[in-house]
Amino acid sequence: DPGAVVPAPQNLSVHSANMKHLLVWSPVILPGETVHYWVEYQGEYESLYMSHVWIPSSWCSPTPGPECDVTDDITATVPYRLRVRATSGPRASAWSALKPPFNRNSTLLLPPRMAVRKDGSHLVIELEDLGPQFEFFVTFWRKAPGAKEHAKVVRSVGFPVYLGAMEPGAVYCVKARALVRAIARRSAFSQAQCVEVQGEALPL
Amino acid sequence: GLKTLHLGSCVVTINLQEIQHGFSEIRDSVQAKDDNINIRILRSTESLQDTKASEKCCLLHHLLSFYLNRVFNNYQTTDHPTLRKLSSLANSFLIIKKDLQLCHAHMTCQCEEEAIAKYNRILSHFEELEPQAATVKALGELDILLRWMEES
Amino acid sequence: MPKPTNITFFSINMKNVLQWNPPEGLHGIELTYTVQYFIYGQKKWLSKSECRQINRTYCDLSTETSDYEHQYYAKVKAIWEANCSEWAETERFYPLLETQIGPPEVALAASEKSISIVLTAPEKWKRNPEDPTVSMQQIYSSLNYNISVYNTKSKRMWSQFVTNHTLVLSWLEPNTLYCVTVESFVPGLPGHTQPSQQCVSTLKDQTSTLKVK
């Protein structure tokens, strides 16, 4: 019905994990019509200094589905106001606003996935690439009573990073947690992974 | 990573690299719109260089307010990617300004005459130009301001 | 007459060379070029006598742009007989943000199970060889190095970021060729240049040689 009002999207919420932010809402159902959605945002600056200005989202102006990746739009650690409206042809719904505004410091930080291995006598770790905001706090230790724990902050991802040299015949364990300084938060530690080095243990 | 600014007894941590990266993506297009290349607003010798640590906090506080009140909100563009980068820069500046306001509240960001004089010199260069040309130039000189912050 | 094209500064360790392509459609014609440069915020365009009516398509402006806290423009026009093109102009050039950092000098020394690496920071371009040396480390305090080590026997590689200039790789396999690649890296600066690569072999394991006897 070309004259019918397009209902505004409802139930807006943001699912955010590891600094990836997804705005979702309930789909608007108009039988026989194609619905698109338009997402806009304001950071705290716009709210305070330019409240009339809303910025079209990077990826959802428009979008066909009831969700929008706003990660590239939420680029400062301030509250962001987000709004969505539906359109069908020339007709548009009212705007629906996310309440309360979203701040990226509420993102869920998960322990990083990692691969620990040995290259000869060297302990090496490879961490998953979670994006430029991430650093990793890595601790490693020789599995022996009273063994000292070593720590290293690793920023390189996607390729093997050297942690330390291992003594023959020993078992070494590693665990890591994600650090995001931009929001001053860190994840829990991952499960420890251990590797054993061949060869006879050195005489004490 | 993050950068710690030592501004006299005011110490703030900022995401300078994220800000620099954001500006680098619009730098050429903004600077290309600046036709007055014989005028420079942020002048090393006159205002930025040799600023005592104790003055830096006040000068930076004034400069951030200047950019928030008179530059970011007056830069005219219909290009959405540029608009988003400006928003990112402005909101990052807003965070730094809030941190400096905390210092101000704790009396560690006091303004002395010299810092105000330096800021006024910058303002006078800005006001020499027609408003939109001045806005374009000030925005185009963000790399100079960010470099000065990096050295603090 | 069309302008020269693709005019840019190519900068490594603050050696700033202006380069451009000939105007389109004029290949085979004997052109000459004239270059001028401008210091942002100053009053007028300046000439460089060594780059007036030249045949080549580059001009070293390192001396003229050596104050890396300043920002610059450069422009070039093509000349053919009595005709000359419009000026082709660069974007604003900020050496401090746009220079690429060259690789460090790398010295390797191997023993049976270790390799010691000594790095020397790349040097800033200087006008005369006798001029005092300025290390790029003095300009970029956050300069660090990405060291990659490749074991040619196990075909495995790992990396490590270091800020200091000496590193000892220990617990290596004797009698094995290792290739070490080193790249300079300053957060926030454009990509880095070609890394430097060197290979060295660890010595034979003396204990096994004794057993053989």
Side-chain angles (χ1 to χ4, degrees):
Chain A
D1 167 8
V5 172
V6 179
Q10 300 300 316
N11 308 316
L12 273 63
S13 65
V14 173
H15 300 171
S16 175
N18 280 349
M19 295 295 267
K20 298 281 188 283
H21 321 301
L22 189 68
L23 174 68
V24 297
W25 56 87
S26 305
V28 169
I29 310 296
L30 294 175
E33 297 186 42
T34 304
V35 175
H36 281 92
Y37 303 94
W38 303 73
V39 176
E40 295 182 344
Y41 68 92
Q42 274 189 345
E44 187 177 16
Y45 175 75
E46 284 77 26
S47 312
L48 295 173
Y49 290 78
M50 305 158 70
S51 56
H52 60 288
V53 170
W54 286 83
I55 300 168
S57 163
S58 303
W59 307 113
C60 313
S61 300
T63 182
E67 61 179 43
C68 174
D69 183 342
V70 292
T71 303
D72 292 339
D73 301 325
I74 312 289
T75 54
T77 308
V78 293
Y80 277 81
R81 297 167 69 195
L82 295 155
R83 69 181 188 179
V84 186
R85 73 174 172 181
T87 62
S88 173
R91 292 177 294 129
S93 76
W95 289 101
S96 287
L98 174 75
K99 288 193 172 63
F102 170 73
N103 191 319
R104 67 178 185 178
N105 59 16
S106 63
T107 193
L108 173 66
L109 287 183
L110 304 167
R113 280 181 297 173
M114 62 181 190
V116 174
R117 59 178 176 76
K118 56 180 188 268
D119 177 4
S121 306
H122 297 139
L123 184 58
V124 172
I125 187 172
E126 191 163 340
L127 288 145
E128 67 174 316
D129 186 350
L130 293 174
Q133 313 268 10
F134 282 78
E135 294 171 317
F136 301 93
F137 182 76
V138 178
T139 62
F140 54 100
W141 63 96
R142 178 178 173 178
K143 204 168 183 183
K148 188 175 157 231
E149 192 170 86
H150 305 274
K152 208 171 212 180
V153 174
V154 174
R155 293 185 183 85
S156 346
V157 292
F159 54 83
V161 173
Y162 171 86
L163 288 179
M166 301 186 287
E167 290 164 35
V171 174
Y172 284 79
C173 298
V174 183
K175 62 182 181 180
R177 71 187 332 168
L179 292 175
V180 181
R181 295 180 197 266
I183 59 172
R185 285 190 41 222
R186 55 194 183 177
S187 75
F189 269 108
S190 60
Q191 286 286 327
Q193 287 183 30
C194 301
V195 289
E196 186 171 358
V197 188
Q198 266 62 46
E200 305 132 37
L202 286 179
L204 293 177
Chain B
L2 296 192
K3 160 83 181 173
T4 301
L5 301 188
H6 299 274
L7 309 166
S9 33
C10 171
V11 180
V12 292
T13 302
I14 68 174
N15 206 333
L16 188 57
Q17 214 174 306
E18 192 175 51
I19 298 171
Q20 286 170 325
H21 179 70
F23 179 65
S24 71
E25 294 191 351
I26 58 170
R27 175 171 168 258
D28 285 343
S29 63
V30 170
Q31 289 179 349
K33 290 164 80 170
D34 182 358
D35 300 326
N36 303 284
I37 64 174
N38 57 330
I39 293 177
R40 176 166 157 164
I41 292 174
L42 301 175
R43 302 182 186 186
S44 300
T45 47
E46 203 183 72
S47 32
L48 296 182
Q49 228 163 328
D50 313 326
T51 305
K52 290 186 304 220
S54 59
E55 288 169 4
K56 275 194 170 179
C57 190
C58 172
L59 184 52
L60 180 56
H61 195 199
H62 275 73
L63 286 172
L64 293 176
S65 301
F66 163 72
Y67 271 90
L68 290 169
N69 290 305
R70 302 184 65 167
V71 179
F72 289 125
N73 47 359
N74 287 314
Y75 183 78
Q76 291 162 10
T77 180
T78 53
D79 176 53
H80 287 165
T82 301
L83 204 57
R84 291 188 199 108
K85 287 300 166 196
L86 285 178
S87 169
S88 180
L89 290 165
N91 281 286
S92 300
F93 270 40
L94 189 61
I95 295 170
I96 304 170
K97 186 191 170 196
K98 285 185 187 178
D99 290 342
L100 295 186
Q101 269 161 338
L102 284 178
C103 284
H104 196 71
H106 293 101
M107 312 293 282
T108 57
C109 191
Q110 296 311 95
C111 278
E112 294 158 14
E113 215 176 297
E114 182 55 18
I116 298 294
K118 288 188 173 188
Y119 173 65
N120 287 332
R121 275 197 290 271
I122 291 169
L123 210 51
S124 68
H125 298 318
F126 177 79
E127 287 167 347
E128 275 172 34
L129 292 162
E130 178 267 328
Q132 189 49 213
T135 299
V136 165
K137 180 171 285 299
L139 191 61
E141 291 188 4
L142 263 187
D143 48 12
I144 297 172
L145 176 61
L146 295 173
R147 165 66 184 172
W148 181 65
M149 290 162 72
E150 189 171 25
E151 289 176 319
S152 306
Chain C
M1 184 172 181
K3 296 192 275 193
T5 59
N6 298 330
I7 175 167
T8 59
F9 276 97
F10 180 72
S11 175
I12 296 182
N13 296 337
M14 302 285 186
K15 178 179 172 66
N16 307 323
V17 178
L18 184 70
Q19 55 187 33
W20 60 88
N21 292 346
E24 277 155 13
L26 295 181
H27 294 293
I29 293 179
E30 205 49 42
L31 292 174
T32 62
Y33 303 94
T34 289
V35 169
Q36 290 189 338
Y37 67 95
F38 188 95
I39 300 171
Y40 175 62
Q42 311 258 315
K43 293 308 170 203
K44 55 188 173 70
W45 287 88
L46 304 168
S47 292
K48 173 164 182 154
S49 52
E50 297 90 335
C51 292
R52 189 178 286 137
Q53 303 223 297
I54 54 174
N55 304 102
R56 58 181 190 274
T57 56
Y58 63 87
C59 167
D60 189 337
L61 288 174
S62 303
T63 301
E64 292 73 19
T65 57
S66 59
D67 181 344
Y68 50 78
E69 293 282 1
H70 269 296
Q71 303 181 328
Y72 305 90
Y73 291 86
K75 61 183 181 183
V76 63
K77 67 179 177 184
I79 302 156
W80 175 57
E81 294 175 355
N83 309 296
C84 68
S85 75
E86 296 283 316
W87 291 103
E89 199 172 299
T90 66
E91 285 157 345
R92 194 178 302 174
F93 171 62
Y94 194 4
L96 196 64
L97 294 190
E98 298 180 52
T99 198
Q100 291 179 48
I101 312 288
E105 262 179 46
V106 179
L108 303 180
S111 68
E112 276 174 46
K113 290 192 171 184
S114 71
I115 293 174
S116 87
I117 303 175
V118 177
L119 305 177
T120 306
E123 288 175 13
K124 176 182 184 288
W125 167 86
K126 52 187 179 181
R127 194 176 316 196
N128 305 307
E130 320 81 52
D131 290 349
T133 296
V134 174
S135 155
M136 294 299 275
Q137 180 94 49
Q138 292 168 254
I139 300 170
Y140 301 97
S141 55
S142 59
L143 172 61
N144 59 79
Y145 306 102
N146 180 13
I147 297 180
S148 302
V149 181
Y150 178 68
N151 178 330
T152 58
K153 207 179 274 182
S154 72
K155 304 255 183 299
R156 288 219 169 139
M157 185 275 294
W158 38 260
S159 294
Q160 191 169 348
F161 270 90
V162 299
T163 47
N164 40 26
H165 288 83
T166 55
L167 177 70
V168 177
L169 309 175
S170 53
W171 294 95
L172 301 177
E173 294 169 49
N175 195 28
T176 302
L177 184 67
Y178 286 89
C179 290
V180 177
T181 305
V182 187
E183 262 178 309
S184 304
F185 178 75
V186 172
L189 273 201
H192 12 73
T193 55
Q194 276 302 333
S196 70
Q197 185 181 74
Q198 280 185 53
C199 301
V200 70
S201 187
T202 48
L203 306 182
K204 283 198 173 76
D205 188 349
Q206 298 310 322
T207 51
S208 63
T209 348
L210 286 176
K211 272 182 202 151
V212 167
K213 282 184 186 149

